[in-house]
Amino acid sequence: MVKLAFPRELRLLTPERFTYVFQQPQRASSAEITILGRLNELGHPRIGLTVAKKNVKRAHERNRIKRLARESFRLNQHELPPMDFVVLVRKGVAELDNRELTEALGKLWRRHCRLARAS
């Protein structure tokens, strides 16, 4: 049975881990969201989130976006390649409803899977 948990090991927690991803990332982007990814040696994917106050003014909107991004990652983690991912958002992401945001994230996860198979 596949576990769909989201333990601490699946999160990027330190600035060094974020910097590692920012150095040489593979990019998958939509108009509102960019997901950067870089292969790791762990054998499983990890995620880090950056939702800047500059792009999403209200705290409850930033929390909603982060919650949906974590949930999307949690549900797709077993299809994803062993990479460290950083989710970046742009202005306009707060206007997306939950369904649109979830669909956009799913599309970007699939794109990263294709990029990882191609490289």
Side-chain angles (χ1 to χ4, degrees), residues 85-98:
F85 296 103
V86 174
V87 178
L88 305 165
V89 299
R90 296 191 193 99
K91 286 188 187 295
V93 71
E95 280 76 47
L96 297 177
D97 65 18
N98 290 355

Side-chain angles (χ1 to χ4, degrees), residues 18-27 36-39 83:
F18 279 84
T19 304
Y20 172 76
V21 177
F22 287 130
Q23 286 172 353
Q24 296 174 345
Q26 288 183 343
R27 294 176 190 273
L36 305 176
R38 187 167 177 196
L39 288 173
M83 296 177 86

Side-chain angles (χ1 to χ4, degrees), residues 41-57:
E41 304 297 321
L42 301 174
H44 60 80
R46 297 186 299 180
I47 187 173
L49 303 167
T50 59
V51 182
K53 194 184 288 190
K54 175 182 171 185
N55 296 329
V56 183
K57 299 290 184 212

Side-chain angles (χ1 to χ4, degrees), residues 56-106:
V56 183
K57 299 290 184 212
R58 297 194 169 141
H60 70 275
E61 288 293 334
R62 290 193 301 275
N63 293 338
R64 177 182 70 93
I65 292 163
K66 290 188 282 188
R67 186 177 65 247
L68 289 170
R70 283 191 300 265
E71 181 70 2
S72 176
F73 175 80
R74 185 183 73 82
L75 294 174
N76 290 293
Q77 65 183 319
H78 297 291
E79 286 87 43
L80 294 173
M83 296 177 86
D84 291 342
F85 296 103
V86 174
V87 178
L88 305 165
V89 299
R90 296 191 193 99
K91 286 188 187 295
V93 71
E95 280 76 47
L96 297 177
D97 65 18
N98 290 355
R99 184 186 52 77
E100 292 169 333
L101 188 57
T102 303
E103 286 174 2
L105 287 165

